[in-house]
Amino acid sequence: MRALTEKDIRSSFVNCSKGEAKRLHVPRDLDDRPWDDLDFLGWGDPGAPDRSHLVVERQDRLVGVAMRFQPARRGFLHRSMCSLCLTTHPRGGVALMTARRSGPAGREGNSVGAYMCTDLACSLYLRGLKVPETGARFEESLTLEEQIERTRSNLFAFIDKL
């Protein structure tokens, strides 16, 4: 993924108003992000722990999505799997992220959702640059490139529903 600026990020959102995009928290460490290892930029809002955001480049266009989630309150032994990168996490490492649909449907309250890593670090889990709390990911027969393509396809399927 190419390096993004705050202006790039704020202008990319498709499911919130320009005013909402102007007010949302943007990470201050953009210069320190491992851009070459990211398939999308994802971050949580420190001022609103139930909100997350992601920005992905698709067909030479940035698409930003504002999402909400309910922090999981599952037991110690319960595991969940991210529907994007297929990484399993215990105790709330995966949550149902819901995004308001764009346009009139979103203004009527319609939303779509997908189970995602709550830290939105799917790209880093795939590449082994971040280790899930369980210690490792399941070994797959797919190559890293195929896993990355699957993750991007899963993300694009979610975005297409918006």
Side-chain angles (χ1 to χ4, degrees):
M1 179 168 198
R2 67 178 172 93
L4 302 177
T5 65
E6 182 175 341
K7 183 180 178 184
D8 293 334
I9 293 169
R10 291 192 188 282
S11 64
S12 70
F13 284 87
V14 297
N15 69 333
C16 64
S17 70
K18 288 182 182 184
E20 289 170 323
K22 185 177 180 181
R23 291 186 300 272
L24 65 83
H25 170 80
V26 174
R28 298 289 172 226
D29 63 346
L30 293 175
D31 293 335
D32 300 328
R33 295 285 173 138
W35 294 104
D36 291 338
D37 294 319
L38 295 180
D39 303 305
F40 63 90
L41 174 65
W43 71 98
D45 188 334
D50 66 334
R51 294 180 190 206
S52 290
H53 314 284
L54 69 82
V55 178
V56 65
E57 194 168 13
R58 184 165 189 204
Q59 298 171 345
D60 298 325
R61 178 178 163 246
L62 291 175
V63 178
V65 179
M67 302 179 294
R68 290 181 178 252
F69 69 97
Q70 180 68 34
R73 296 185 182 107
R74 301 249 165 101
F76 179 75
L77 297 176
H78 184 84
R79 290 178 168 218
S80 298
M81 181 180 282
C82 173
S83 64
L84 300 183
C85 66
L86 305 187
T87 300
T88 59
H89 296 273
R91 292 186 306 266
V94 171
L96 177 62
M97 301 279 188
T98 58
R100 186 174 61 207
R101 296 186 71 184
S102 59
R107 288 190 291 276
E108 292 175 7
N110 295 331
S111 62
V112 296
Y115 286 94
M116 297 182 199
C117 298
T118 55
D119 61 3
L120 296 171
C122 298
S123 301
L124 303 179
Y125 290 126
L126 287 176
R127 291 165 175 83
L129 300 174
K130 188 169 184 178
V131 179
E133 200 175 316
T134 55
R137 292 184 71 236
F138 290 113
E139 191 170 326
E140 295 191 61
S141 60
L142 297 177
T143 66
L144 175 59
E145 291 76 24
E146 290 170 330
Q147 291 177 50
I148 291 168
E149 183 55 37
R150 178 189 61 209
T151 299
R152 290 179 57 82
S153 294
N154 291 342
L155 177 58
F156 294 156
F158 171 70
I159 289 172
D160 286 345
K161 294 176 187 173
L162 295 174

